[in-house]
């Protein structure tokens, strides 16, 4: 159509005639007409499209170009990525190996610490056992020391023969024994009490004799250290006068006095002393005595 368009300044032709002329020309030369008509149109469209594409097509943006660049160098990037992955994998493996070594060392340290703690615990158990033994020994030592101190410092009451009088009916004297109570300890004896009995007995005294005591206790006083106290007990009745000499000589029969003394030491502990004395008068008038086989105990 551009070929047949009238030039600038020419007279305008009849449209009907122009159309017929074009149809005739096209019929005579169809290939050339087609080529002539279409070529400029294609070129014009191509030029216009390229210009428009350069303006509007997003495929020329930097993102697209970058993607194309990466696509063209895909192999190199893959190789680089593989190398990087391999390098980081190697680094991770090295770190893992070091971490495993550190964990192994830490585990060994922990095991050694546990072993040391176990040994320390065992040692502490031994120390605790030793301390328990020491505490027990110390307690026993304190108890023993207290007992020994008490034994050394307490009062000890013993009984000496003392004196005696024989029967003199005219004077109203009965046979009477007067033992002497003596505190041989280092401290006073408190609440000293006693019971005693005197009688004429056949000698020797039977082994099963029980030395009975009757009546209430006498006394209740304090007897200081190294002090003594004399107490007396007489028989209940007169004996025949003809028997007095034999009794004084302890020939078959004798005056016997026995009893029990009770007291408390300074620590408040109770104690007792049992005694039994057989009296005999010597030819010079002095009094001698000896202890009975039984009933002579003290604590």
């Amino acid at each position: 159509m551009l070929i047949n368009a009238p030039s600038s300044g020419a007279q305008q032709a009849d449209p009907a005639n122009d159309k017929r002329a074009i149809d005739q020309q096209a019929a005579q030369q169809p290939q050339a007409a087609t080529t002539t008509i279409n070529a400029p149109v294609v070129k014009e469209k191509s030029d216009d499209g390229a210009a428009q594409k350069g303006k509007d097509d997003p495929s020329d943006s930097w993102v697209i170009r970058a993607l194309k660049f990466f696509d063209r160098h895909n192999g190199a990037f893959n190789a680089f990525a593989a190398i990087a992955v391999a390098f980081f994998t190697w680094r991770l493996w090295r770190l893992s190996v070091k971490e495993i070594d550190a964990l192994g060392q830490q585990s060994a340290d922990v095991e050694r610490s546990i072993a040391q703690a176990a040994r320390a615990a065992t040692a502490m158990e031994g120390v605790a056992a030793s301390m328990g033994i020491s505490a027990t020994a110390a307690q026993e030592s304190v108890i023993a020391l207290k007992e020994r101190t008490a034994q050394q410092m307490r009062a000890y009451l013993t009984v000496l023969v003392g004196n005696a009088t024989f029967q003199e009916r005219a004077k109203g004297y009965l046979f009477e024994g007067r033992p002497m109570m003596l505190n041989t300890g280092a401290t006073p004896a408190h609440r000293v009490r006693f019971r005693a009995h005197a009688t004429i007995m056949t000698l020797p005294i039977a082994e099963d004799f029980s030395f009975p005591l009757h009546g209430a206790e006498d006394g209740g006083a304090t007897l200081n250290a190294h002090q003594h106290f004399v107490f007396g007990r007489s028989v209940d009745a007169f004996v025949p006068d003809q028997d007095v000499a034999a009794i004084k000589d302890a020939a078959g029969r004798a005056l016997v006095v026995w009893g029990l003394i009770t007291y408390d030491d300074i620590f408040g502990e109770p104690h007792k002393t049992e005694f039994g004395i057989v009296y005999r008068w010597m030819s010079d008038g002095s009094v001698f005595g000896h202890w009975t086989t039984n009933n002579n105990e003290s604590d």
Side-chain angles (χ1 to χ4, degrees), residues 110-131:
V110 170
E111 290 180 357
R112 285 193 295 270
S113 298
I114 292 173
Q116 293 176 357
R119 289 194 295 271
T122 302
M124 288 302 296
E125 289 179 357
V127 171
S130 299
M131 291 178 65

Side-chain angles (χ1 to χ4, degrees), residues 12-32:
Q12 184 176 2
D14 186 6
N17 293 330
D18 291 338
K19 184 177 185 301
R20 284 194 299 271
I22 291 171
D23 294 337
Q24 291 177 1
Q25 187 176 357
Q28 293 175 0
Q29 299 178 354
Q31 297 296 327

Side-chain angles (χ1 to χ4, degrees), residues 2 38-57 60:
L2 294 176
N38 295 332
V41 174
V42 172
K43 182 178 180 180
E44 181 180 359
K45 289 181 178 180
S46 177
D47 294 339
D48 293 342
Q52 186 67 25
K53 183 177 180 181
K55 295 178 181 180
D56 300 332
D57 193 353
D60 288 338

Side-chain angles (χ1 to χ4, degrees), residues 47-224:
D47 294 339
D48 293 342
Q52 186 67 25
K53 183 177 180 181
K55 295 178 181 180
D56 300 332
D57 193 353
S59 63
D60 288 338
S61 66
W62 67 269
V63 176
I64 300 301
R65 289 195 297 274
L67 293 175
K68 290 180 179 181
F69 175 79
F70 284 116
D71 184 63
R72 286 194 301 272
H73 300 85
N74 184 41
F77 283 111
N78 287 336
F80 178 77
I83 293 171
V85 169
F87 174 76
F88 287 112
T89 302
W90 176 78
R91 288 290 297 168
L92 181 61
W93 175 78
R94 289 289 299 169
L95 293 175
S96 298
V97 170
K98 291 181 179 180
E99 185 69 21
I100 291 172
D101 293 339
L103 289 175
Q105 183 64 33
Q106 185 177 4
S107 177
D109 293 340
V110 170
E111 290 180 357
R112 285 193 295 270
S113 298
I114 292 173
Q116 293 176 357
R119 289 194 295 271
T122 302
M124 288 302 296
E125 289 179 357
V127 171
S130 299
M131 291 178 65
I133 294 172
S134 299
T136 302
Q139 185 177 6
E140 292 176 351
S141 298
V142 170
I143 294 172
L145 179 61
K146 182 179 178 181
E147 291 177 352
R148 296 297 180 268
T149 302
Q151 291 174 354
Q152 293 175 357
M153 298 300 297
R154 55 160 283 198
Y156 287 90
L157 296 191
T158 187
V159 177
L160 302 180
V161 173
N163 206 343
T165 60
F166 56 88
Q167 175 179 307
E168 293 183 81
R169 189 184 298 269
K171 296 180 182 180
Y173 295 159
L174 296 171
F175 276 103
E176 180 182 5
R178 292 194 294 272
M180 184 172 65
M181 184 188 311
L182 176 66
N183 182 359
T184 60
T187 54
H190 299 280
R191 300 182 66 244
V192 179
R193 303 166 309 278
F194 68 93
R195 287 190 297 169
H197 183 71
T199 189
I200 305 299
M201 294 187 66
T202 302
L203 299 179
I205 301 173
E207 289 291 333
D208 59 351
F209 185 68
S210 62
F211 298 92
L213 293 171
H214 307 285
E217 292 181 327
D218 293 330
T222 297
L223 184 60
N224 291 324

